[in-house]
């Protein structure tokens, strides 16, 4: 009798988690579609990346997005498998966040896509926040396993985007250096994935090797600031270079135009 009751509770809680995630997905997708379909919002200067960055830089950042998502998948898997002493609440919200991002990119049609969407439901994270059921916690292994599949999917998307837009794969060298250093730093320095990522980011951008911030949010903020500064410094250098070259070419064209005019008079 107790076993049957526990099975019923397990099914009810599992269905409740699936339903909650489906509602969250619907709300996020509805809000996203409302924003992106509104011409007034999308045409606003503050939301136009071309107002801040050159078009080539935007294309490169889109390329980097797929690699960044792969890192997020790996970090999420590592935190799920090992206890790194971090705030479980933050990790649960992070898991839910990246699950929503991936799920929004999947169509609801087709048996395969429906299974992927079902496996993307962050059962372990929502269970921790709502029920704390041990039985539901065991289902988390299937959720993390699907991220291994999406590592392959997003890498293929990266290659396709790179070829479609005729981009170079030099960014892969940068990614490989950072990723290998990230994996080495964890066991060598005996630190968590988040701390390792922060240390590698600081070392790569010549900001030092120290961990900045005590909380999870503080460390994530430090990583964002480091990479935002790296990107903006690159944009500034590129913009200055273009301005110098443009001024030099304009000067050459002016000289050439003056010579043509003189030749015509003669």
């Amino acid at each position: 009798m107790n076993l049957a009751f526990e099975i019923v509770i397990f099914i009810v809680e599992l269905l409740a988690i699936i339903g909650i995630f489906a509602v969250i997905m619907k709300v996020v997708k509805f809000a996203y579609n409302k924003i992106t379909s509104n011409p007034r919002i999308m045409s606003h200067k503050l939301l136009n990346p071309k107002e801040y960055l050159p078009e080539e830089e935007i294309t490169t950042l889109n390329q980097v997005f797929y690699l960044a998502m792969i890192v997020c998948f790996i970090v999420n898997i590592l935190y799920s498998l090992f206890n790194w002493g971090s705030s479980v609440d933050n990790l649960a919200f992070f898991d839910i966040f990246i699950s929503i991002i991936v799920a929004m990119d999947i169509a609801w049609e087709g048996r395969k896509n429906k299974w992927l969407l079902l496996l993307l439901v962050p059962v372990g994270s929502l269970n921790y926040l709502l029920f704390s059921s041990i039985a539901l916690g065991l289902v988390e292994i299937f959720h993390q396993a699907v991220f291994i599949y999406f590592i392959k999917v997003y890498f293929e998307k990266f290659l396709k985007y790179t070829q479609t837009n005729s981009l170079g794969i030099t960014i892969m060298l940068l990614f490989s250096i950072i990723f290998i250093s990230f994996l080495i730093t964890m066991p060598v320095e005996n630190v968590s994935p988040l701390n390792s990522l922060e240390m590698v980011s600081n070392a790569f951008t010549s900001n030092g090797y120290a961990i900045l911030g005590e909380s999870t949010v503080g460390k994530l903020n430090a990583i964002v600031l480091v990479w935002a500064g790296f990107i903006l410094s690159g944009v500034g250098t590129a913009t200055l270079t273009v301005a110098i070259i443009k001024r030099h070419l304009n000067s050459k064209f002016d000289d050439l135009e003056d010579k043509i005019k003189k030749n015509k008079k003669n």
Side-chain angles (χ1 to χ4, degrees):
M1 185 68 180
N2 289 335
L3 180 60
F5 179 75
E6 288 177 5
I7 292 173
V8 171
I9 293 296
F10 172 82
I11 294 172
V12 170
E13 289 179 344
L14 181 61
L15 291 175
I17 285 174
I18 294 172
I20 290 168
F21 185 71
V23 170
I24 294 173
M25 274 291 305
K26 287 286 185 181
V27 171
V28 172
K29 206 160 190 176
F30 176 79
Y32 176 79
N33 290 335
K34 275 289 183 183
I35 293 171
T36 54
S37 62
N38 190 323
R40 288 187 61 187
I41 296 176
M42 296 309 295
S43 61
H44 199 282
K45 285 187 175 182
L46 291 175
L47 296 177
N48 185 4
K50 293 182 180 179
E51 294 288 335
Y52 310 100
L53 304 170
E55 191 170 346
E56 294 78 10
E57 185 73 16
I58 295 171
T59 308
T60 302
L61 289 179
N62 289 334
Q63 187 186 25
V64 170
F65 167 77
Y66 297 111
L67 299 178
M69 287 300 294
I70 291 173
V71 173
C72 288
F73 299 155
I74 294 171
V75 168
N76 198 45
I77 292 169
L78 289 173
Y79 270 112
S80 176
L81 293 176
F82 304 102
N83 179 22
W84 302 95
S86 299
S87 171
V88 180
D89 290 351
N90 292 327
L91 297 176
F93 285 118
F94 175 72
D95 181 33
I96 295 169
F97 176 71
I98 63 170
S99 298
I100 290 172
I101 292 177
V102 178
M104 284 183 66
D105 198 32
I106 300 176
W108 292 82
E109 296 80 15
R111 185 180 298 177
K112 179 182 177 182
N113 287 351
K114 287 177 182 177
W115 274 108
L116 290 174
L117 285 167
L118 185 63
L119 292 171
L120 276 171
V121 176
V123 176
S125 298
L126 288 172
N127 170 55
Y128 169 78
L129 296 172
L130 299 173
F131 303 118
S132 300
S133 168
I134 297 175
L136 281 173
L138 298 175
V139 182
E140 176 68 8
I141 188 171
F142 299 105
H143 173 63
Q144 293 302 328
V146 80
F147 282 122
I148 298 174
Y149 168 77
F150 278 107
I151 289 173
K152 171 181 172 291
V153 170
Y154 272 70
F155 184 71
E156 289 174 350
K157 286 185 176 184
F158 162 78
L159 293 177
K160 184 178 179 180
Y161 182 85
T162 300
Q163 293 170 0
T164 304
N165 292 275
S166 301
L167 299 171
I169 58 171
T170 311
I171 192 70
M172 272 300 299
L173 177 60
L174 169 65
F175 176 78
S176 299
I177 293 171
I178 295 171
F179 184 69
I180 292 171
S181 299
F182 160 73
L183 293 177
I184 292 174
T185 302
M186 280 190 293
V188 170
E189 298 292 339
N190 193 27
V191 293
S192 68
L194 180 60
N195 288 350
S196 175
L197 188 60
E198 188 179 5
M199 292 167 73
V200 171
S201 297
N202 287 333
F204 178 76
T205 55
S206 302
N207 289 329
Y209 195 58
I211 299 172
L212 306 177
E214 295 295 330
S215 65
T216 302
V217 176
K219 292 170 185 176
L220 288 172
N221 181 52
I223 292 173
V224 170
L225 287 173
V226 166
W227 283 101
F230 178 70
I231 292 168
L232 289 177
S233 63
V235 171
T237 304
T239 304
L240 179 62
T241 304
V242 169
I244 293 172
I245 293 173
K246 186 178 180 181
R247 186 171 61 181
H248 177 72
L249 291 175
N250 285 340
S251 175
K252 290 289 185 182
F253 280 124
D254 289 340
D255 291 341
L256 183 60
E257 189 176 5
D258 289 339
K259 288 180 180 179
I260 292 171
K261 287 179 179 179
K262 287 179 181 179
N263 289 333
K264 284 183 177 180
K265 287 179 181 180
N266 295 332

